[in-house]
């Protein structure tokens, strides 16, 4: 039994914020952000554009994109997010209700920026085991709600977005391998220190540090090392070699990281697909929104072998090898 990709879509908030606009309110510049990261613009949510709302819209876009499918209904929804609508309950049941998917299995997972790869691996296992016949996975984050607007080392890097993919069981196989890993020894590299049980259980119970923090330089090096390892492992598991790869879609955090990864696998620059200049780092939405962009403009073609890879808080990492489906997918960002 194989796992087939039949739908893909994404969503961003209406408000676009350029580097120039950020430079007016922060001690930064278009020149610094562009040369150090490659990011030019990102979208910021308004108060109504929550994680569930962006997830819902991405889900609608994915459902509309399907051109070939049997009649079975979506029976599982996985939302990968580290910025849920509420700490309790999970966001996925709400999104399932908004999408009118019925009383289905619905769960969140949190692997921060690696969330989509973790969700893909879980989705793949649920379908191959026969537990699910048709599944929607969504990567969605509204990082503007956890960033300190005065912190120039994080605020310019992130954008808000959601991306959704629909998978079914099939004789075709579009997921050739998945690989994931983690190392909790490094939880402090990417973190929101307070606001969870650790701070609530302290005698003073103070939530002093509720903003997102990242040790940029160390994360930069670990991201390269672990995405390199992940791509190698996923290729080995798929039985393919780097010469068989048409495109790589790395997590969209920094163009310099993406360039290094493609050099390490001797891929040319056109083979590393990007969307970060337009959307910034959208955390769990980063991989699906990049896929949408390149399916829409026709870069990604049927039969292409694509390696997706990510790195994020936890720390976590992972990769998957995809064979792009033969049937058309009308992918869109709405
Ligand atoms: N505008 C202007 N200057 C800035 C700035 C900004 N937005 N952000 C940082 N700087 C300054 C720093 O204060 C520092 O100044 P100093 O030398 O006077 O101390 C200088 O620029 C260099 O900072 P540094 O942190 O060394 O920059 P960098 O080249 O490492 O780039 C990141 C910073 C965050 C862009 C980069 O480290 C990175 O992309 N890390 C990985 C992120 C990632 O992969 N995340 C994935 C998981 S979410």
């Amino acid at each position: 039994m194989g796992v087939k990709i039949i739908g893909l879509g994404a969503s961003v908030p209406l408000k676009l914020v350029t580097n120039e606009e950020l430079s007016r309110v922060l001690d930064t510049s278009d020149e610094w952000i562009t040369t150090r990261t490659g990011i030019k613009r990102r979208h910021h949510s308004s108060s109504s554009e929550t994680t569930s709302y962006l997830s819902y819209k991405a889900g609608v876009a994915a459902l509309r994109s399907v051109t070939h499918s049997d009649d079975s209904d979506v029976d599982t929804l996985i939302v990968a997010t580290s910025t849920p609508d509420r700490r309790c309950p999970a966001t996925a049941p709400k999104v399932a209700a908004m999408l009118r998917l019925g009383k289905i299995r619905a769960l969140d997972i949190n692997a921060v920026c690696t969330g989509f790869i973790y969700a893909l691996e879980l989705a793949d296992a649920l379908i191959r085991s026969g537990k699910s016949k048709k599944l929607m996975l969504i990567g969605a984050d509204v990082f503007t709600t956890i960033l300190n607007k005065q912190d120039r080392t994080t605020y310019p890097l992130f954008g808000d977005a959601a991306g959704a993919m629909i998978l079914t069981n099939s004789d075709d196989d579009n997921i050739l391998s998945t690989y994931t890993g983690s190392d909790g020894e490094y939880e402090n590299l990417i973190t929101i220190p307070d606001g969870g049980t650790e701070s609530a259980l302290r005698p003073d119970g103070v939530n002093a540090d509720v903003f997102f923090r990242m040790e940029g330089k160390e994360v930069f090096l670990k991201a390269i090392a672990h995405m390199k390892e992940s791509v190698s492992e996923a290729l080995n598991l798929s039985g393919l070699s780097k010469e068989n790869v048409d495109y790589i879609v790395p997590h969209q955090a920094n163009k310099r990281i993406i360039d290094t990864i493609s050099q390490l696998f001797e891929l040319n620059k056109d083979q590393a697909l990007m969307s970060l200049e337009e959307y910034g780092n959208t955390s769990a939405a980063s991989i699906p929104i990049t896929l949408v962009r390149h399916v829409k403009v026709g870069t990604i073609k049927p039969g292409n072998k694509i390696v997706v890879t990510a790195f994020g808080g936890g720390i976590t990492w992972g990769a998957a090898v995809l064979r792009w489906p033969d049937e058309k997918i009308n992918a869109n960002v709405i």
Side-chain angles (χ1 to χ4, degrees):
M1 188 193 290
V3 178
K4 192 176 164 86
I5 302 169
I6 60 163
L8 185 70
S11 165
V12 288
L14 290 177
K15 188 177 173 196
L16 184 70
V17 180
T18 63
N19 290 348
E20 286 82 5
E21 285 171 274
L22 279 183
S23 314
R24 277 181 235 134
V25 290
L26 261 185
D27 181 17
T28 188
S29 63
D30 174 43
E31 203 263 332
W32 192 95
I33 301 171
T34 306
T35 54
R36 303 310 293 162
T37 72
I39 298 164
K40 297 294 283 182
R41 292 169 285 278
R42 75 286 292 144
H43 291 253
H44 284 179
S45 280
S46 66
S47 58
S48 60
E49 291 169 317
T50 56
T51 298
S52 62
Y53 179 75
L54 294 181
S55 298
Y56 161 74
K57 278 184 56 188
V60 168
L63 289 165
R64 280 187 199 150
S65 75
V66 178
T67 60
H68 286 77
S69 171
D70 59 21
D71 287 337
S72 61
D73 294 327
V74 171
D75 58 38
T76 304
L77 176 67
I78 306 175
V79 174
T81 185
S82 51
T83 51
D85 278 19
R86 301 180 181 188
R87 278 181 58 196
C88 172
T91 303
K94 179 174 182 178
V95 177
M98 291 165 86
L99 287 167
R100 298 187 191 286
L101 296 179
K103 296 177 177 25
I104 62 167
R105 179 189 297 121
L107 66 148
D108 286 8
I109 62 166
N110 178 0
V112 199
C113 296
T114 319
F116 191 79
I117 307 273
Y118 266 69
L120 186 67
E121 182 164 77
L122 186 57
D124 182 75
L126 283 168
I127 293 175
R128 276 180 216 281
S129 70
K131 283 274 181 195
S132 169
K133 288 194 166 47
K134 188 179 280 182
L135 181 152
M136 182 185 287
L137 64 143
I138 297 177
D141 273 306
V142 181
F143 258 50
T144 48
T145 58
I146 56 170
L147 296 171
N148 178 350
K149 293 184 176 53
Q150 262 88 54
D151 181 3
R152 69 175 184 172
T153 70
T154 54
Y155 196 59
L157 308 180
F158 294 90
D160 302 328
M165 185 180 264
I166 303 173
L167 303 172
T168 58
N169 64 348
S170 168
D171 294 334
D172 294 347
D173 207 356
N174 299 142
I175 317 273
L176 306 187
S177 68
T178 60
Y179 171 82
T180 52
S182 75
D183 188 349
E185 294 287 327
Y186 293 100
E187 68 169 344
N188 285 327
L189 289 186
I190 298 170
T191 187
I192 301 173
D194 289 345
T197 53
E198 226 179 63
S199 59
L201 290 171
R202 276 201 307 254
D204 57 4
V206 173
N207 286 329
D209 213 343
V210 291
F211 287 127
F212 176 88
R213 273 199 214 164
M214 178 169 71
E215 301 295 334
K217 270 203 185 317
E218 209 173 334
V219 168
F220 191 99
L221 298 174
K222 291 224 178 297
I224 291 170
H226 287 298
M227 286 202 280
K228 176 178 182 244
E229 169 205 328
S230 299
V231 171
S232 297
E233 293 291 341
L235 281 172
N236 280 343
L237 290 167
S238 72
L240 299 182
S241 65
K242 62 184 186 207
E243 288 75 26
N244 304 120
V245 173
D246 295 297
Y247 295 110
I248 184 164
V249 179
H251 173 51
Q252 305 285 300
N254 190 314
K255 184 175 184 304
R256 291 183 292 137
I257 296 178
I258 295 173
D259 288 345
T260 307
I261 297 286
S262 38
Q263 277 161 19
L264 287 170
F265 289 94
E266 294 165 340
L267 301 170
N268 65 47
K269 285 199 167 169
D270 296 343
Q271 288 178 280
L273 302 185
M274 283 196 272
S275 67
L276 90 177
E277 71 282 9
E278 199 60 37
Y279 302 119
N281 179 349
T282 56
S283 187
S286 161
I287 286 175
I289 204 168
T290 309
L291 288 172
V292 172
R293 181 187 217 197
H294 290 279
V295 168
K296 188 174 160 62
V297 298
T299 330
I300 294 177
K301 295 183 181 59
N304 280 165
K305 310 283 190 326
I306 302 165
V307 186
V308 295
T309 183
F311 176 86
I315 56 178
T316 53
W317 56 83
V321 180
L322 312 178
R323 182 193 165 278
W324 204 253
D326 297 324
E327 289 80 8
K328 189 170 170 48
I329 297 177
N330 291 320
N332 263 309
V333 182
I334 61 170

